[in-house]
Amino acid sequence: MTPQELKKMSFATICVHGASGTDPQTGAVSFPIYQSSTFAFKSAKEGADIFAGKKEGYIYTRLGNPTQAAFEREIAFLEEADAALATASGMGAITIAILTMLKAGDKMLAAHTLYGGTHLLFKETLPSLGIKVESINPGDSNELVNHLEKGAKMVYIETPSNPTLQLLDIAEISQISHKYGALVIVDNTFATPYYQRPLQLGADIVIHSATKYIGGHGDTIAGVILGSKEFIDRSRNVINRDIGAAISPFNAWLLLRGLKTLPVRMERHSENAMRIAQYLNFHPKVSRVWYPGLRTHEQHELACRQMDGFGGMITFELKGGKKAGEILMNSVKLLTLAVSLGDVDSLIEQPATMTHSTYSPEELAAVGITEGMVRLSVGLEDVNDIIDDLSQALKKA
Ligand SMILES: *Cc1c(COP(=O)(O)O)cnc(C)c1O
């Protein structure tokens, strides 16, 4: 099938068949892993032309690799982006995307609730390079406009947010930001392109921690940036050339394999999460549940409008607070007490002391991350087994 023919196919078909199809040279159905650091030129002239950008071709795996390119073509199809750059990690993707746009003296706005590592990058490393980051609530359009008027070049958001599962209206934020000439970058890790396509809603750049649902099996660290060809060319040929956060060919292949089952995995993650969220919502020891699929979620209507499904992440709080949460985490037998998310295995953790311990107590309070919050990444085990495990652990908590 040609790429043009494949582009007309539905999401699940593209996931299974890949944007690159079978290998024309060998007929290999699974895309090969080009485990090579360097690539031979046919002549001195060809080498010089590829270096000068006059001719397409591979040079050296830090600058690009065929297995990496196969993953990039496919994820770009799925996010409906012009181009993609795969990176060594999600943090690599975020750093490269920002440095593609900003330099010392520039200012950006960032949503106040973000992945803990992103928060630290914005609080320490970017300011140390002279890039000013202002933490705001972009969901409040007056606040957004007030800050944009003072000259920010970029707005960085995460929706649904980690770990509070708050949603931001991508279309509205993009429309307002564009009036002030600011680009919008969305971390789409929680939703994946199967459930949310920010570029179609008006955003300019999407990033993922591909470590999570895209890889999907808890066996690799990776990231990806998606956007216009011009933006991705600069990310690849200038910023990542210098930073060197290149993905390995093997990890790119693991992502290609992960994508094959992304739709079925996401549907089961969501189905399981919905059942568990409903179970927790009625449990006498649970004081609050955050899951965008619940009608009781403050932004359920926005979730229905902006997303095609609700995903596999649930955050909840026990009436017994932090102590009860700790007993729960120490009492689960099937669930794994670990950070990360989007794996086939269910993972449970406490944001305040683990993933979001990069926030000061004041910052945690300001963004509504309580000490007792427990975050659950719902896996692909039988949902009744997960509920049974939560039930026996909740009895002790
Ligand atoms: C994990 C995560 C990141 C960072 O990705 P790494 O692959 O760990 O570098 C960024 N954003 C979100 C929402 C994440 O969950």
Side-chain angles (χ1 to χ4, degrees):
M1 206 175 283
T2 65
Q4 287 71 25
E5 285 170 326
L6 192 66
K7 221 169 187 166
K8 292 195 202 105
M9 299 280 156
S10 65
F11 194 102
T13 310
I14 295 171
C15 284
V16 172
H17 285 264
S20 306
T22 45
D23 179 34
Q25 271 171 18
T26 61
V29 172
S30 166
F31 196 88
I33 306 169
Y34 286 87
Q35 194 70 35
S36 183
S37 56
T38 193
F39 296 86
F41 308 126
K42 290 192 182 73
S43 66
K45 174 155 191 332
E46 191 196 62
D49 283 349
I50 297 174
F51 261 93
K54 288 187 202 153
K55 193 175 178 200
E56 293 257 320
Y58 294 103
I59 296 173
Y60 183 66
T61 285
R62 172 156 49 77
L63 309 173
N65 171 287
T67 315
Q68 172 186 351
F71 168 71
E72 290 170 346
R73 271 194 297 276
E74 186 167 334
I75 190 82
F77 263 34
L78 299 174
E79 282 278 6
E80 299 177 48
D82 289 345
L85 171 67
T87 56
S89 69
M91 290 311 300
I94 297 167
T95 306
I96 293 161
I98 290 169
L99 295 183
T100 299
M101 277 191 272
L102 304 185
K103 58 182 186 313
D106 288 340
K107 192 170 82 180
M108 64 178 268
L109 306 177
H112 52 34
T113 316
L114 297 169
Y115 171 70
T118 312
H119 176 73
L120 218 46
L121 170 71
F122 291 0
K123 192 164 78 167
E124 293 178 3
T125 304
L126 290 183
S128 79
L129 298 173
I131 295 170
K132 198 166 174 223
V133 188
E134 280 176 3
S135 188
I136 65 158
N137 173 14
D140 177 339
S141 45
N142 289 329
E143 192 176 336
L144 178 61
V145 166
N146 284 342
H147 281 85
L148 284 166
E149 276 173 346
K150 290 179 221 141
K153 291 198 167 163
M154 197 188 88
V155 179
Y156 184 99
I157 65 171
E158 201 174 287
T159 180
S161 71
N162 183 358
T164 51
L165 295 165
Q166 296 300 297
L167 270 64
L168 290 166
D169 188 327
I170 298 171
E172 185 180 72
I173 291 170
S174 302
Q175 204 185 13
I176 295 172
S177 303
H178 291 163
K179 273 197 213 142
Y180 293 88
L183 293 184
V184 175
I185 172 162
V186 179
D187 182 335
N188 201 26
T189 300
F190 272 35
T192 82
Y194 189 62
Y195 281 150
Q196 177 171 277
R197 286 163 305 282
L199 300 175
Q200 262 39 59
L201 296 167
D204 302 283
I205 311 294
V206 164
I207 71 96
H208 282 277
S209 169
T211 308
K212 316 294 166 54
Y213 290 105
I214 291 176
H217 294 72
D219 51 16
T220 185
I221 298 283
V224 63
I225 313 170
L226 299 116
S228 69
K229 183 165 182 319
E230 189 191 359
F231 185 93
I232 297 298
D233 279 351
R234 180 170 156 75
S235 293
R236 185 193 315 278
N237 300 330
V238 180
I239 307 300
N240 201 31
R241 172 198 66 195
D242 299 348
I243 287 186
I247 191 167
S248 74
F250 181 63
N251 283 357
W253 183 84
L254 284 174
L255 300 184
L256 274 172
R257 192 174 67 160
L259 281 181
K260 286 183 192 289
T261 55
L262 182 69
V264 271
R265 283 189 288 108
M266 289 314 289
E267 279 179 20
R268 182 59 67 85
H269 280 300
S270 286
E271 207 178 288
N272 282 359
M274 187 59 130
R275 280 271 312 276
I276 294 164
Q278 280 163 346
Y279 163 79
L280 291 170
N281 217 14
F282 287 106
H283 197 285
K285 288 198 176 167
V286 175
S287 56
R288 222 180 138 180
V289 181
W290 290 264
Y291 183 66
L294 292 178
R295 278 172 207 282
T296 50
H297 189 283
E298 288 159 357
Q299 295 155 302
H300 179 64
E301 184 273 328
L302 174 59
C304 293
R305 186 151 41 90
Q306 178 166 279
M307 303 173 75
D308 297 331
F310 307 115
M313 298 301 296
I314 302 172
T315 297
F316 60 101
E317 201 171 43
L318 300 184
K319 286 187 181 146
K322 186 174 181 224
K323 191 92 201 78
E326 280 165 4
I327 298 170
L328 173 80
M329 287 185 293
N330 288 333
S331 306
V332 289
K333 292 177 182 157
L334 175 70
L335 307 186
T336 305
L337 174 53
V339 299
S340 198
L341 59 105
D343 288 10
V344 289
D345 313 56
S346 291
L347 306 174
I348 193 164
E349 67 111 13
Q350 188 170 50
T353 58
M354 296 172 190
T355 46
H356 291 72
S357 58
T358 56
Y359 281 67
S360 68
E362 297 74 37
E363 287 169 338
L364 287 173
V367 302
I369 302 174
T370 63
E371 278 194 323
M373 265 184 183
V374 176
R375 191 187 77 179
L376 177 61
S377 170
V378 176
L380 304 183
E381 300 92 343
D382 187 296
V383 67
N384 294 314
D385 289 335
I386 304 174
I387 290 175
D388 284 350
D389 193 35
L390 282 169
S391 162
Q392 66 80 20
L394 279 165
K395 276 199 191 101
K396 296 178 187 141

